[in-house]
Amino acid sequence: MSQESKSKRARLSGDSPNGSAAEFFPGIGKIEYKPGAGPTEVLCFKHYNAKEVINGHSMEAWLRFSACYWHTFRGVGLDPFGMPTIKRPWDDGTESMDNAKRRLRVAFEFFSKLGVKYWTFHDRDVAPEGATLEETNRNLDEITDLAKELMAKTGVKLLWNTCNLFANPRYMNGAATNPDAHVVAYAAAQVKKGLEIGKKLDAENFVFWGGREGYNSLLNTDVMAELSHAANFFKMAVDYKKQIGFGGQLLIEPKPKEPTRHQYDYDAMTVIGFLKHFGLADDFKINVEPNHTMLAGHSYEHDIVMASGFGMLGSIDSNTGSPDLGWDTDQFPMDVRDTTLVMKAVIEQNGIAPGGLNFDAKVRRESTNLKDMFISHVGAMDCFARGLRCAAKLVAEGAMAKMVQNRYSSFNEGIGAKIAKGTATMEECENYVKKMGEPKQISGEQEKYECVLNHYV
Ligand code: XLS
Ligand code: NI
Ligand code: NI
């Protein structure tokens, strides 16, 4: 075999001819912090300085960045109208175990060079599905053995894993909410394995995103049966998690639609209502994805603020979308105003751990350079670092908080204090109005608040 073909084979297998690990991103080194870098230098951090302490914690601890496997290592640039545009040099186009293992080595080189401390994956991203559940699980065992080894070697940890309960045709009518109990049982068996893998890899969380848990037509759907089956499914997961001693936080990721016309986990408030109704609120938190929040017709930060208000903000799938397109475009977050508002909520709840900021985001199908994989993540990390710096100052200086406090100061005494405590009666309110007459007009000062925000952004 020629030297050239030997080294090509070595490159593909993930090992170099002399036995040391091959390099899949030659020419790209560890991404460094270079605060003075020029405008077109994009393979360095200009704002993210991992160990720098901001409001009492390192940037790394506030941000807990994670890269996702599905978009970054399985994404090929498909869209509903177009064929793949992205072909990675390490990918031989097969679903073989060799290819899966090589891809995993590539991923850990990527995580290490980028400097993210966490990763996330679906079971079916990392290992091929076999002909039977047993074969599929054996594939998963083999791949996660290698993952465990690579995690130990690089120090990269698992933010969360999840089960893909939406791609296989068996799930076309739903997984936990399928009208066929056989399919529900299959999904439960799959999640059982997912929880075992979470435990094996010390996942800090485990995510449920119910891509097919909803309906396309109400005519053929018994919504109350489906919702109660979903709740029982989650109860089984809680029980099994406890049974095997898996310590990860369970998370539900809301999304209003896509692929189904209506998804039951519509938005943060819907999920909170569901969890409370079925007695599950103590066992779950929410993984908010802002692109989904926008699809639900809300502002970028709405679900972050609502979930946090209820003490239910568990983790964030940090991405953004194009409201003019109206679907889940999973773009990298590059808007400092957005990241400032997210980090404001995170700082106000004193951190996001054991959750993190997971980049559930993909490069555009037109961004076909290998380098774009790095540029996109570096840019988003820098954007969040700026958001953190802005939000930390905004919170520490307290001007906006003081304005909000004043706005509600009428609840500090008298009838207001009684309303706030829940001890006021309708008669007391009526007597108060008879005595005080018409309330004075008080400006909401929205524009002033916007100016204060812009002072920090
Ligand atoms: C899809 C979801 C998905 C989850 C994990 O829209 O964002 O990627 O994060 O299943
Ligand atoms: Ni997501
Ligand atoms: Ni999404």
Side-chain angles (χ1 to χ4, degrees), residues 209 253 255 289 291-292 317 319 328 330 360:
W209 171 63
E253 182 177 323
K255 187 173 182 180
E289 179 168 316
N291 199 163
H292 298 175
D317 264 7
N319 66 6
D328 194 12
D330 290 325
D360 186 352

Side-chain angles (χ1 to χ4, degrees), residues 262-307:
H262 174 88
Q263 205 169 296
Y264 293 129
D265 301 332
Y266 196 91
D267 62 1
M269 286 310 296
T270 309
V271 173
I272 290 169
F274 167 87
L275 290 172
K276 289 194 186 286
H277 179 80
F278 287 102
L280 287 158
D282 292 338
D283 293 300
F284 286 84
K285 283 196 174 169
I286 295 181
N287 181 35
V288 173
E289 179 168 316
N291 199 163
H292 298 175
T293 310
M294 292 157 84
L295 273 179
H298 305 308
S299 66
Y300 186 89
E301 67 278 12
H302 174 88
D303 269 12
I304 302 267
V305 172
M306 297 308 287

Side-chain angles (χ1 to χ4, degrees), residues 384-398:
F384 259 101
R386 278 179 76 180
L388 169 62
R389 289 180 191 279
C390 298
K393 214 160 165 234
L394 184 153
V395 172
E397 293 184 0

Side-chain angles (χ1 to χ4, degrees), residues 77-84 365:
L78 268 173
D79 79 7
F81 302 94
M83 295 190 282
R365 71 194 290 270

Side-chain angles (χ1 to χ4, degrees), residues 30-148:
K30 178 128 183 59
I31 306 294
E32 305 285 357
Y33 177 52
K34 278 171 60 183
T40 58
E41 284 184 76
V42 286
L43 281 176
C44 59
F45 297 118
K46 300 170 198 178
H47 305 277
Y48 179 56
N49 186 16
K51 304 284 176 214
E52 186 182 327
V53 173
I54 306 256
N55 285 18
H57 301 282
S58 66
M59 292 185 95
E60 188 173 78
W62 277 122
L63 296 164
R64 295 173 58 84
F65 289 130
S66 157
C68 84
Y69 208 81
W70 52 102
H71 289 313
T72 302
F73 296 98
R74 301 312 309 269
V76 289
L78 268 173
D79 79 7
F81 302 94
M83 295 190 282
T85 56
I86 293 171
K87 171 96 186 76
R88 301 300 185 199
W90 52 80
D91 210 305
D92 65 14
T94 69
E95 280 299 323
S96 71
M97 287 293 281
D98 269 1
N99 204 19
K101 286 183 186 170
R102 186 166 51 248
R103 208 185 276 122
L104 201 61
R105 292 184 192 280
V106 177
F108 277 83
E109 181 186 327
F110 177 80
F111 303 148
S112 302
K113 286 184 165 173
L114 183 62
V116 285
K117 288 283 173 311
Y118 291 93
W119 70 304
T120 52
F121 67 88
H122 299 85
D123 44 6
R124 305 301 179 246
D125 304 335
V126 290
E129 196 157 0
T132 60
L133 184 68
E134 291 88 335
E135 194 193 329
T136 302
N137 288 351
R138 274 198 302 276
N139 290 347
L140 266 172
D141 288 338
E142 203 177 317
I143 290 289
T144 50
D145 283 348
L146 176 61
K148 200 173 164 77

